[in-house]
Amino acid sequence: MTDDEMPEGEAIRPFAVPITGKFAEAAAGVLKPYRQRAENGFPDSPPAADSPFMTDIETMRAMAEPEATARMSLHSMLIDIVGLSFDTALDHVRALEHDIVRDPAPVWSPLVSARAVLESCLFLEYLIDPSISCSLRLARCAGLWRKDTDHATKAARVFGPEQQAKAANMDTYVSRALADAKVLERRNAKGMLVGYKVDGDAAALDFSITERARTALPAWIPMPNGLLSGAAHSRPWMTDRARKIGLNTGSSLVGEAATVMTALTVAMASLEMSLGAWQGYFGSDLGETLTELEEHRRQGRLYLLAMAHAVER
């Protein structure tokens, strides 16, 4: 029997039970060592000589100046963002570990934390996707940098003239840096900036979380973004379920073990996706780490499934 199958004649749906203290402690106990293994699973070795990372570096070094230096600078920022994205994902996983065990039990917050993990990891994967060219990678980075600068400019309006001046300086700096790297603007028929092009490879200003998740996440996880967005945006089609479950309990909302399991599954899938992209781009040997994570995930799910059965019975 696979971990997705139920005994013949079984009347319950896996994890369709309230969150108990025992289940919450067990779930957090599954997630924490998984996160620690993902966090500490990187080998202490430089990128492989035949890795896409080194190919990108060699491609840029072969260019004429000042274009070579400008593109190397953009690429360095890209690598810095990748590290920041992974650290941010781990921060949200730690938050999830603590949220699971709080009293009263959480309802939708685990899914919101899982969504933050997913988005951080998709950001990372989008930038170091090992299957794309150096020029497309730089075009993607340019789009995200411009989008971030636009967000900072809008936020500066709230904080006053000094912050607005800093934002304006940053906008000028970004425009100059992209021009030096020969990153070309892409505009639509109305003249609006819609993305960038580098050596013929074009990228948008941003990427679709839903579309990226569909193509980048491991095949063993169903498309999760609809559920996560329903919880994060408090859509009634999603949140009303918790109210109905709580009708006969005296509580306004009741969380299910299913939401905890969905959050754990998304967080784990996201971290594995990140490590897979890292291995592909830098040529790092993460095979042992990924194998251990997969085994831990499978065993953890079986253990928690057994606990959910015990609650229902």
Side-chain angles (χ1 to χ4, degrees), residues 81-98:
I81 292 172
V82 165
L84 175 63
S85 297
F86 191 69
D87 288 343
T88 300
L90 292 173
D91 180 64
H92 288 297
V93 176
R94 293 188 193 96
L96 179 58
E97 293 167 20
H98 290 281

Side-chain angles (χ1 to χ4, degrees), residues 35-256:
R35 185 261 304 163
Q36 291 173 329
R37 185 68 182 101
E39 184 175 7
N40 300 312
F42 295 91
D44 186 18
S45 58
D50 59 349
S51 65
F53 171 82
M54 291 305 302
T55 298
D56 285 355
I57 296 298
E58 291 164 4
T59 297
M60 290 181 288
R61 284 175 176 168
M63 294 177 177
E65 294 292 357
E67 181 182 346
T69 297
R71 291 196 179 185
M72 287 287 285
S73 178
L74 182 60
H75 186 266
S76 294
M77 185 186 70
L78 181 154
I79 298 302
D80 183 63
I81 292 172
V82 165
L84 175 63
S85 297
F86 191 69
D87 288 343
T88 300
L90 292 173
D91 180 64
H92 288 297
V93 176
R94 293 188 193 96
L96 179 58
E97 293 167 20
H98 290 281
D99 187 42
I100 291 170
V101 296
R102 68 179 169 90
D103 186 17
V107 182
W108 299 117
S109 52
L111 295 185
V112 178
S113 292
R115 186 173 189 262
V117 176
L118 173 62
E119 292 197 16
S120 293
C121 291
L122 286 174
F123 208 100
L124 177 157
E125 190 276 338
Y126 179 72
L127 290 176
I128 60 171
D129 179 353
S131 70
I132 65 174
S133 65
C134 178
S135 54
L136 179 55
R137 197 178 320 283
L138 294 179
R140 287 180 175 182
C141 184
L144 296 178
W145 195 17
R146 168 56 64 193
K147 195 71 174 179
D148 241 29
T149 303
D150 291 344
H151 287 317
T153 298
K154 292 176 182 177
R157 298 169 187 166
V158 178
F159 299 106
E162 183 177 350
Q163 196 64 32
Q164 285 180 289
K166 290 181 179 179
N169 289 337
M170 174 56 69
D171 184 86
T172 300
Y173 173 77
V174 171
S175 297
R176 184 172 61 249
L178 295 181
D180 290 345
K182 294 187 178 179
V183 177
L184 305 179
E185 294 183 346
R186 295 174 54 237
R187 295 184 177 273
N188 62 17
K190 297 181 179 180
M192 295 179 59
L193 181 66
V194 295
Y196 288 95
K197 182 181 292 186
V198 177
D199 299 339
D201 286 325
L205 287 177
D206 211 337
F207 64 96
S208 166
I209 296 294
T210 300
E211 290 302 317
R212 199 70 200 169
R214 182 177 292 116
T215 58
L217 282 174
W220 50 262
I221 184 173
M223 181 56 200
N225 204 51
L227 289 175
L228 302 183
S229 296
H233 298 302
S234 297
R235 304 309 303 180
W237 68 265
M238 180 78 169
T239 56
D240 189 51
R241 177 178 177 83
R243 183 172 60 182
K244 290 176 180 177
I245 294 171
L247 285 177
N248 300 319
T249 67
S251 300
S252 58
L253 299 175
V254 172
E256 289 181 277

